[in-house]
Amino acid sequence: GAGVSQSPSNKVTEKGKDVELRCDPISGHTALYWYRQSLGQGLEFLIYFQGNSAPDKSGLPSDRFSAERTGGSVSTLTIQRTQQEDSAVYLCASSTGDPRDYEQYFGPGTRLTVT
Amino acid sequence: GQNIDQPTEMTATEGAIVQINCTYQTSGFNGLFWYQQHAGEAPTFLSYNVLDGLEEKGRFSSFLSRSKGYSYLLLKELQMKDSASYLCAVRNAGNNRKLIWGLGTSLAVNP
């Protein structure tokens, strides 16, 4: 079946502009995660959605970052007034949400470059 | 604080065996994961350990000692395609979803 998809695959934007990154999780997966991976760095947790529960936003680095998940499926990560330090690969992952099912399936990522 | 340590880089020869270590200090523990990430690609799941001992899956095995806060990933019969970054991640007991990630070990397999 189809895996996690993300769009765009690459995004170049000017400092100060807003960007939206999209994630389509695997159909039926109730859990969705956003991570950021900067060059030479590990994965940095940003936000987690699980079903209809309030999202865990504890990893968002500033109030310029926000995310929503409409209809329990597609998610959009928005970065307002982008800064050069926002340049990174933004990865989305999904899982079934069953506590016994631990694997997270990752999308190919969106490479964001802020000039 | 919470910390996961793994070597930054390792080099090995095709056909050999390599062991990648991971030590962790986290507030609670509910499983340790190993993921493989090829350059420019998304991480893919390799293994999951929640109990002490060795889990074997083909050429890859993963070991866990909870008392020592230690895990290793063992790769046998190395192939060139195993050149990748190997990421260790720990799931906290308090939050069954959020993973704490190490920086990854970049493995280069040479002919």
Side-chain angles (χ1 to χ4, degrees):
Chain A
V4 178
S5 61
Q6 293 185 243
S7 61
S9 55
N10 279 285
K11 176 71 177 180
V12 180
T13 190
E14 292 180 354
K15 177 182 174 182
K17 295 287 181 66
D18 298 351
V19 294
E20 282 190 354
L21 312 180
R22 176 187 169 104
C23 172
D24 279 90
I26 293 173
S27 178
H29 279 193
T30 60
L32 187 147
Y33 319 75
W34 282 99
Y35 294 94
R36 178 169 70 174
Q37 189 173 33
S38 302
L39 188 64
Q41 300 296 311
L43 272 71
E44 176 187 3
F45 167 80
L46 297 178
I47 189 170
Y48 158 61
F49 296 90
Q50 171 57 54
N52 295 321
S53 303
D56 177 351
K57 304 179 181 180
S58 60
L60 294 178
S62 77
D63 59 7
R64 296 186 295 105
F65 287 73
S66 63
E68 62 178 23
R69 190 179 184 192
T70 54
S73 181
V74 172
S75 177
T76 302
L77 177 69
T78 301
I79 308 173
Q80 296 179 312
R81 305 180 302 281
T82 52
Q83 303 294 314
Q84 288 187 330
E85 61 262 27
D86 300 334
S87 296
V89 175
Y90 289 81
L91 292 164
C92 173
S94 72
S95 67
T96 64
D98 184 332
R100 297 166 297 180
D101 186 2
Y102 38 77
E103 183 175 350
Q104 295 183 17
Y105 298 81
F106 283 82
T110 294
R111 181 174 298 278
L112 175 66
T113 304
V114 182
T115 61
Chain B
Q2 305 196 92
N3 197 46
I4 296 181
D5 288 314
Q6 44 181 137
T8 304
E9 296 180 338
M10 296 185 72
T11 303
T13 304
E14 192 175 15
I17 299 173
V18 70
Q19 177 175 311
I20 303 175
N21 296 325
C22 171
T23 57
Y24 63 89
Q25 297 169 313
T26 57
S27 55
F29 177 86
N30 194 20
L32 185 143
F33 299 77
W34 284 96
Y35 276 77
Q36 180 190 58
Q37 186 176 27
H38 284 99
E41 298 182 11
T44 55
F45 173 81
L46 287 178
S47 68
Y48 170 70
N49 295 69
V50 67
L51 299 176
D52 290 350
L54 188 68
E55 296 279 344
E56 297 187 76
K57 188 186 298 184
R59 293 189 300 113
F60 293 4
S61 303
S62 56
F63 171 83
L64 174 67
S65 169
R66 289 171 295 172
S67 62
K68 295 181 180 178
Y70 168 70
S71 172
Y72 68 72
L73 179 70
L74 193 70
L75 292 74
K76 302 176 185 177
E77 302 169 17
L78 281 172
Q79 303 175 10
M80 298 296 289
K81 67 178 182 180
D82 298 330
S83 293
S85 183
Y86 292 85
L87 310 176
C88 174
V90 171
R91 185 167 67 185
N92 280 351
N95 185 326
N96 279 335
R97 300 292 179 262
K98 187 159 49 176
L99 301 182
I100 303 188
W101 295 80
L103 297 183
T105 298
S106 179
L107 174 66
V109 179
N110 298 320

